[in-house]
Amino acid sequence: MRLRKAVFPVAGLGTRLLPATKVLAKEMLPIIDTPLIQFAVDEAVAAGCDTLVFVTNRYKHAIADYFDRSFELEHGLLKAGKNAQVDALRRILPAHVRCVFVTQREPLGLGHAVLCARPVIGDEPFAVMLPDDLLFGRAQPVLAQMVAEATRLQASALVAVERVPREDVSRYGIADVEGQDGASSRMRRVVEKPAPADAPGDLAIVGRYLFEPSIFPLLEATAAGVGGEIQLTDAIAALIQQSDVYAYRFDGVRHDCGNRAGVVQAMLDVAMQSEDTRAAVTAFCAARGVQLGKRD
């Protein structure tokens, strides 16, 4: 698979993180000194993407501003001799990567947001990345893992999954799978946000997807489902009837940064990976009887 394009659905309101998200896009929440969206963008670029499609709403300007150049700021920093900060700003987006912003005019669901990106995607394979799922791969970034796996399997679609506690399945799309080929299993069906008693398992779909453009006609034909929204999982269910769709158990760690606990966990994880914050965080936690270690 030659992956060049990634879709970032960022039109959501982030209500679970109010009041901060009243004025700040949840994707711009800082994990230490790095906005959440930056981690997903870096992951996409590491997998070979050079076109980043942000599906946003008319109120969210911060993401576009962040990925734009700020010549006045850079000039001021250079005059002050702060060259390291200028270098950090210029590393936000590699020169060969472009951003495209598409407006989702109505909040009609994740499936609709993906469909809004169709004119930019065209007839190419593409990724869908939900930035509030912060994924750290071990041997390599998660999206790069998925590209390699989709290529090996010649899959029409590959979705990242992880096991979740049974009581949490109603928060996710749940994959029903058959057999296992390495880290992947062919999907029989997918159920959106089932009650624990009705769930076909505990493999939850998390915020990374790879699709061929054949998903778009299915999204167009998808009626409003759970929550009155056009659900991406409903289109995936239709795709399963036509071709092979695989659930992929990625090698890494996930933090759900759509909620407070996940943001705190992500901050601690990132802090423990950095030499300039690890000692201070370790000492702070030790003074409170908590022991932290570096991520495996």
Side-chain angles (χ1 to χ4, degrees):
M1 177 179 286
R2 172 71 172 94
L3 183 70
R4 294 182 51 245
K5 297 177 179 178
V7 176
F8 300 83
V10 293
L13 299 177
T15 54
R16 289 187 292 169
L17 292 170
L18 285 169
T21 49
K22 178 183 177 183
V23 295
L24 180 67
K26 67 176 179 178
E27 297 82 12
M28 293 301 297
L29 288 171
I31 306 301
I32 314 296
D33 57 358
T34 302
L36 188 54
I37 189 70
Q38 183 73 59
F39 293 96
V41 163
D42 289 346
E43 185 183 336
V45 173
C49 295
D50 58 20
T51 301
L52 313 178
V53 187
F54 297 90
V55 182
T56 186
N57 62 44
R58 64 183 183 275
Y59 303 111
K60 282 189 170 180
H61 306 293
I63 297 173
D65 291 342
Y66 175 73
F67 287 107
D68 198 4
R69 289 284 298 273
S70 177
F71 295 103
E72 297 84 358
L73 176 58
E74 291 182 18
H75 178 69
L77 290 171
L78 287 171
K79 284 185 64 177
K82 297 182 178 180
N83 296 340
Q85 286 91 331
V86 173
D87 290 342
L89 290 174
R90 291 177 178 173
R91 287 196 300 270
I92 287 173
L93 197 69
H96 72 283
V97 177
R98 67 170 180 146
C99 296
V100 180
F101 292 87
V102 177
T103 300
Q104 184 182 20
R105 298 184 183 278
E106 298 179 76
L108 298 179
L110 177 57
H112 179 258
V114 174
L115 188 57
C116 288
R118 185 179 190 177
V120 183
I121 299 302
D123 60 356
E124 297 186 47
F126 66 101
V128 176
M129 307 184 71
L130 307 188
D132 50 2
D133 269 337
L134 177 53
L135 272 56
F136 293 117
R138 291 191 174 91
Q140 62 181 151
V142 171
L143 190 62
Q145 296 177 33
M146 294 177 67
V147 171
E149 186 73 353
T151 300
R152 182 182 75 85
L153 295 169
Q154 293 297 294
S156 296
L158 189 80
V159 301
V161 296
E162 72 170 1
R163 297 195 181 280
V164 298
R166 194 78 183 188
E167 61 268 22
D168 291 342
V169 296
S170 60
R171 295 169 45 201
Y172 299 92
I174 301 297
D176 181 18
V177 302
E178 58 183 36
Q180 187 166 340
D181 182 353
S184 297
S185 298
R186 185 179 287 106
M187 292 173 61
R188 285 191 289 247
R189 61 183 177 127
V190 59
V191 182
E192 179 65 16
K193 298 179 179 177
D198 300 328
D202 61 358
L203 278 181
I205 297 175
V206 298
R208 300 294 184 272
Y209 310 78
L210 284 178
F211 293 116
E212 295 288 343
S214 55
I215 192 71
F216 286 127
L218 300 176
L219 282 169
E220 284 188 328
T222 299
V226 174
E229 298 181 338
I230 297 174
Q231 299 290 344
L232 181 57
T233 47
D234 289 342
I236 294 172
L239 184 62
I240 289 170
Q241 305 306 312
Q242 299 180 2
S243 56
D244 290 339
V245 178
Y246 288 86
Y248 175 67
R249 299 168 183 84
F250 61 92
D251 180 25
V253 175
R254 168 181 170 259
H255 300 295
D256 179 2
C257 292
N259 63 68
R260 297 168 64 198
V263 172
V264 173
Q265 291 164 5
M267 286 188 177
L268 289 172
D269 192 356
V270 171
M272 290 301 293
Q273 308 309 311
S274 176
E275 292 184 3
D276 65 343
T277 54
R278 186 185 309 127
V281 171
T282 300
F284 178 85
C285 291
R288 286 154 180 80
V290 177
Q291 184 175 357
L292 296 178
K294 288 182 65 178
R295 187 192 325 134
D296 292 337

